[in-house]
Amino acid sequence: MMVPILYTFDRPFMRKTYEAIDRHVDVESAFLALGPEAEGCSDALREVEREPGESIDAAVERVDPAVVVRNHTLDPGGFAFDGERTVVHVRHGASVGRGEVGTTLGRLRDVVDVALAPGERWGERYREGFPDGVTVAVVGVPEADALVEADPPREGRVLYAPTNHNYGGGSYLHTAEHVLDTFADTEYELLFRPHPMDRREEPGKSVTERCRERIASLPNVTFDEGGTPGESLLSADVLVSDYSGIVTEWLHTDRPLIQLTALDADDREVPPAGYRTDRLDLETVDDLYAHGPPEAVRERRAAFRADLGIPMDGRAGERAATEVLACTR
């Protein structure tokens, strides 16, 4: 079969970016799971199922795509499509303090033909770091399109979603149980959403298991099992995070953001995207929920959004689709 556009990824949560792009695609497309966890993970995208004993390279050859889309840095150069096909890179998340741009450039520099940047902050680095022949386009954050101009629910719902420990050095290990202490038996509804990798890898896995067990006895706390955070973001009034890519999506709203600064990465700082604190307290949540961020935080947030240069008009998926489609012609 001939599929002009082939999306590739190895983790189920990575599908969210492609699903947001594909709704604007007018040619045949499909996804190929590069690992068993991603198999069968999307109802919105057609899947290329490998035949028994068939390799990734053989499956790509059978599908014969005009363009292969990467939103991962898995084994660069290890797949034949990296050298034989047009390769487009788009981020599956736009973290703002984890040094992921350097990782992207270091790993994908020699395998990418088109690099889609979330904002001008990334675009500048891409233009400097990728070879001259690589096309760089600023498109925005496709998975955040649904948040643009969405009304806040005003239902007292808080989403806790920090970045992962092993690869992000975020706040999870220091804050997860404290967050439960803060919201337990309050009038708020807490959505507790560890990063998917902190549900399966130590040391985050043990923290997650302890918290999950405790949550079973807390009527106002839900362990967020959603495959992607999209619905939780839409339904939350306040986000508690650190410098996870979910922060960049949340910036498409004007809802309060609390950034926990108790990181496991000593060489990094939480950027000024919201209200920052080492320790969460209920009085702060009450004030932010009732009145929104203080003026100084609003000004910092506006300056930070301007520095990121992300177009937040709800058309990121459309722009990304246009760039991918151009590679099929």
Side-chain angles (χ1 to χ4, degrees):
M1 60 177 172
M2 170 63 178
V3 176
I5 298 173
L6 183 65
Y7 306 113
T8 64
F9 56 98
D10 62 318
R11 305 291 185 190
F13 61 86
M14 292 178 171
R15 72 184 187 269
K16 64 178 184 176
T17 308
Y18 294 144
E19 290 174 348
I21 294 171
D22 197 66
R23 62 175 60 104
H24 303 286
V25 167
D26 59 3
V27 301
E28 288 292 319
S29 64
F31 83 90
L32 178 64
L34 302 183
E37 290 183 41
E39 293 176 358
C41 72
S42 177
D43 294 327
L45 302 172
R46 175 185 176 191
E47 182 173 5
V48 175
E49 296 184 5
R50 282 193 284 159
E51 298 172 356
E54 186 178 35
S55 68
I56 293 291
D57 288 337
V60 174
E61 188 68 22
R62 173 166 56 88
V63 174
D64 193 26
V67 56
V68 175
V69 189
R70 269 181 169 271
N71 66 351
H72 56 90
T73 59
L74 181 68
D75 197 13
F79 302 108
F81 62 72
D82 280 332
E84 297 174 357
R85 309 279 172 173
T86 298
V87 176
V88 174
H89 176 256
V90 57
R91 305 194 69 85
H92 73 266
S95 299
V96 292
R98 286 177 38 182
E100 286 193 343
V101 175
T103 300
T104 297
L105 292 171
R107 294 181 63 82
L108 299 182
R109 186 180 188 279
D110 297 323
V111 303
V112 169
D113 299 289
V114 178
L116 305 184
E120 193 56 40
R121 177 176 176 175
W122 290 265
E124 289 178 1
R125 292 282 305 281
Y126 285 179
R127 295 184 194 103
E128 294 171 356
F130 280 117
D132 291 341
V134 174
T135 298
V136 175
V138 173
V139 297
V141 181
E143 54 265 48
D145 283 347
L147 291 168
V148 176
E149 296 183 358
D151 293 330
R154 299 301 295 173
E155 295 179 353
R157 190 175 298 116
V158 178
L159 172 62
Y160 170 64
T163 196
N164 58 322
H165 171 76
N166 286 343
Y167 307 105
S171 63
Y172 184 59
L173 300 190
H174 298 303
T175 62
E177 289 165 291
H178 171 64
V179 167
L180 288 183
D181 290 339
T182 302
F183 287 102
D185 301 316
T186 68
E187 294 183 357
Y188 290 100
E189 178 186 352
L190 177 66
L191 301 178
F192 187 90
R193 186 181 179 84
H195 189 278
M197 301 308 290
D198 281 322
R199 308 179 196 195
R200 61 190 300 271
E201 292 184 350
E202 294 291 0
K205 181 180 178 182
S206 294
V207 176
T208 300
E209 290 174 350
R210 288 198 303 271
C211 290
R212 188 192 290 269
E213 183 176 351
R214 184 179 177 194
I215 287 169
S217 64
L218 296 175
N220 67 317
V221 182
T222 301
F223 192 96
D224 189 350
E225 300 278 12
T228 67
E231 289 302 316
S232 297
L233 285 165
L234 284 168
S235 69
D237 294 295
V238 179
L239 174 65
V240 179
S241 187
D242 39 36
Y243 47 41
S244 168
I246 206 169
V247 166
T248 311
E249 295 181 51
W250 189 255
L251 287 174
H252 289 66
T253 77
D254 288 321
R255 305 176 203 173
L257 165 65
I258 299 174
Q259 292 177 284
L260 301 175
T261 57
L263 303 178
D264 270 305
D266 294 335
D267 59 334
R268 298 175 190 162
E269 293 184 358
V270 171
Y275 182 94
R276 296 184 294 173
T277 181
D278 279 345
R279 300 286 288 177
L280 190 65
D281 64 83
L282 203 59
E283 291 76 14
T284 296
V285 179
D286 288 340
D287 188 59
L288 289 170
Y289 180 69
H291 307 294
E295 186 60 31
V297 174
R298 292 178 188 272
E299 291 175 357
R300 289 202 308 267
R301 182 179 63 186
F304 186 69
R305 284 171 53 162
D307 180 63
L308 295 178
I310 297 174
M312 298 183 182
D313 56 2
R315 298 180 58 195
E318 181 182 341
R319 281 187 291 270
T322 297
E323 297 294 336
V324 173
L325 285 167
C327 296
T328 68
R329 300 184 179 112

